[in-house]
Amino acid sequence: MEATELARLQFALLAAVHFLFVLLTLGLGPVVAIFNTRWVRAREHRLLVFENATRFWGQLYLVNYALGIAAGIVLELQFGLHFPGLLDVAGEVFGAPLAVETLVAFFLESTLLGLWVFGWHLFPRALHAGIFWAVVLTGYASAFAVMVANGFLRNPLGYVLEGPPDAQVARITDVGALVTNPAALLSGLHVVGACLMAGGFVLVGVSAWHLRRTGSGFRLPTGPDEDLWRHSMRAGIWTGVFGVLLTHGFGYAQFAYYDTDSLDGNAAIAVLFGLMVMIANLTMLAALVLPFLLIGGAMFRMRGRRALYVLLTVLLPLPFVVALMGWLVRELSRQPWIIQGVLRVDEATSDQSSRAVLASLVLLVGLMVTLAVLDWWVLGRLARAGTSRLVLGAAAADVLREDDAGADVLLRFSDAPGPGAAR
């Protein structure tokens, strides 16, 4: 493969894997915020349920968020490595929204998240929940800034090329046109729907796995844990339904500016697009049926519900697969342009050798895949553990367990009187 092809392949793989982190972070955020708010407003008999729901789903959010940061850094390395022409020509236009995302939304979001994590026992519960709502809003603002940058690549607006023909530079002439670009607005709302759909599927899948392990009779099992999984199942279904509606509505709306001719010229893209639409339509049908099973708690009492729980657990990865298909169709159909009609990919790539690009591809993609595998391994362990080992929001002494090596010694040592206690 030529260096340009290897650089394209590296970008496609890194962007695709990184997008998995984004889907789960933005999908779980609103759900954690809602559970946190319900914990603030809950009556005494519901306090433990919503506190545990906030802590459990908040743990998954934090693990995915932390590893997603590392994955994002890996993704940004490649622009300077292999696409210097993009920054030379459109650094001001393409880089401006990314700078906003990094300097404002990203750092503000991280700071607020730190306050939420370490202020668990310091702030009033209402203020604590409000902080996390701010985390969610800044997270979505960060994602929109990225979609503004990506929308410019797809449908360049609000700019002008200046300078000699062989060294032209893009300058922003209309910030409003750049921000309200339909490739940014419609695609951004489409991505929001995809994230909510993914978050909903995760809630439904994990809750179904735990509900399947409870009793098989018609009497509804009681207890804080069972109540938590039923609330999570309801939240997941409604989140997924809302996400599916957004995804479908704004997905089809993109056809107004989408170049469908590219689908005819590439069989692989056409197959991906058709498969993506078919799965998305099946997901839409499921979204129309599942809410009816919540009426009167029918899902939790019906015959064959354990088989339904198995199916819902198995379908957990589906929105991530569909999202990857959509992202590949969106990016591959723009080729050979890196900025549609303005700059070709081969004009923007560096003059490095194929061997150098291949080395960076193996290193960076290997690192990104390692982060993704580690992320899903940790998330899987936390999801299976349920509420038995909640660390987020726990007092320091509650984190230690007698079954840990040396934990009992640490506990006895912490209870021992210090020097001068006798006096």
Side-chain angles (χ1 to χ4, degrees):
M1 298 178 69
E2 299 293 333
T4 299
E5 296 173 322
L6 288 170
R8 284 177 54 190
L9 178 61
Q10 176 178 289
F11 178 82
L13 293 174
L14 291 178
V17 178
H18 176 65
F19 192 48
L20 298 177
F21 292 91
V22 176
L23 281 172
L24 190 55
T25 296
L26 296 183
L28 283 181
V31 177
V32 176
I34 290 172
F35 277 134
N36 203 342
T37 304
R38 296 190 70 178
W39 175 33
V40 172
R41 304 182 61 183
R43 296 183 179 180
E44 188 67 30
H45 67 288
R46 294 288 189 190
L47 280 175
L48 182 60
V49 172
F50 291 120
E51 179 187 1
N52 284 344
T54 304
R55 293 170 63 190
F56 174 78
W57 296 112
Q59 280 190 169
L60 301 189
Y61 177 92
L62 285 171
V63 169
N64 188 73
Y65 182 91
L67 291 172
I69 291 174
I73 294 172
V74 175
L75 178 64
E76 291 194 3
L77 282 175
Q78 67 180 330
F79 288 117
L81 284 174
H82 303 307
F83 298 99
L86 173 61
L87 303 180
D88 292 339
V89 175
E92 177 181 310
V93 184
F94 178 72
L98 294 182
V100 171
E101 187 267 343
T102 302
L103 297 176
V104 180
F106 175 74
F107 283 113
L108 181 58
E109 179 187 9
S110 300
T111 301
L112 291 169
L113 187 59
L115 289 174
W116 185 72
V117 172
F118 297 107
W120 200 277
H121 299 290
L122 301 177
F123 299 127
R125 282 189 297 169
L127 176 60
H128 190 243
I131 290 173
F132 196 81
W133 275 111
V135 171
V136 174
L137 292 176
T138 51
Y140 276 89
S142 175
F144 178 69
V146 173
M147 292 309 299
V148 168
N150 184 267
F152 171 76
L153 301 181
R154 179 82 206 176
N155 185 36
L157 293 175
Y159 78 103
V160 65
L161 288 174
E162 297 179 348
D166 59 341
Q168 289 188 318
V169 177
R171 305 292 186 193
I172 297 176
T173 58
D174 190 343
V175 176
L178 181 67
V179 175
T180 60
N181 187 343
L185 290 179
L186 297 178
S187 300
L189 291 169
H190 177 68
V191 168
V192 168
C195 293
L196 293 175
M197 182 172 66
F201 267 69
V202 170
L203 261 78
V204 169
V206 174
S207 301
W209 189 85
H210 283 282
L211 288 170
R212 185 177 59 85
R213 302 172 64 201
T214 60
S216 58
F218 287 100
R219 188 176 63 84
L220 209 60
T222 59
D225 278 358
E226 289 79 10
D227 208 8
L228 185 156
W229 303 126
R230 289 193 288 269
H231 279 290
S232 297
M233 176 69 79
R234 293 188 183 96
I237 289 176
W238 288 116
T239 302
V241 167
F242 185 62
V244 167
L245 294 176
L246 276 181
T247 305
H248 270 70
F250 289 102
Y252 285 110
Q254 292 180 78
F255 290 164
Y257 73 90
Y258 195 81
D259 181 16
T260 55
D261 293 337
S262 60
L263 300 178
D264 300 329
N266 190 311
I269 297 177
V271 170
L272 268 178
F273 181 80
L275 186 60
M276 176 191 68
V277 171
M278 181 185 69
I279 297 176
N281 289 335
L282 291 175
T283 307
M284 183 71 172
L285 292 176
L288 296 177
V289 172
L290 284 177
F292 288 99
L293 297 180
L294 295 178
I295 298 176
M299 173 180 287
F300 311 118
R301 294 184 173 90
M302 59 184 285
R303 289 184 180 273
R305 66 181 183 275
R306 293 171 68 85
L308 175 62
Y309 293 155
V310 172
L311 176 63
L312 294 176
T313 304
V314 171
L315 292 179
L316 189 153
L318 187 62
F320 298 92
V321 175
V322 178
L324 286 180
M325 290 180 180
W327 192 260
L328 288 173
V329 169
R330 175 183 176 86
E331 295 306 305
L332 291 176
S333 62
R334 193 176 72 244
Q335 301 301 321
W337 299 100
I338 194 168
I339 304 177
Q340 189 73 38
V342 177
L343 183 67
R344 294 171 60 92
V345 175
D346 54 4
E347 297 171 339
T349 51
S350 65
D351 56 358
Q352 296 179 15
S353 66
S354 299
R355 183 175 298 180
V357 179
L358 179 61
S360 70
L361 185 152
V362 172
L363 178 62
L364 295 182
V365 172
L367 179 58
M368 182 74 85
V369 171
T370 301
L371 290 172
V373 171
L374 178 62
D375 181 45
W376 284 93
W377 179 73
V378 175
L379 291 178
R381 288 180 62 88
L382 290 175
R384 288 192 297 270
T387 60
S388 62
R389 294 295 298 269
L390 293 177
V391 176
L392 177 64
D398 294 338
V399 177
L400 299 175
R401 294 287 188 268
E402 292 184 359
D403 56 346
D404 290 338
D408 53 342
V409 178
L410 290 173
L411 286 171
R412 288 197 300 270
F413 180 78
S414 64
D415 292 335
R423 295 194 296 271

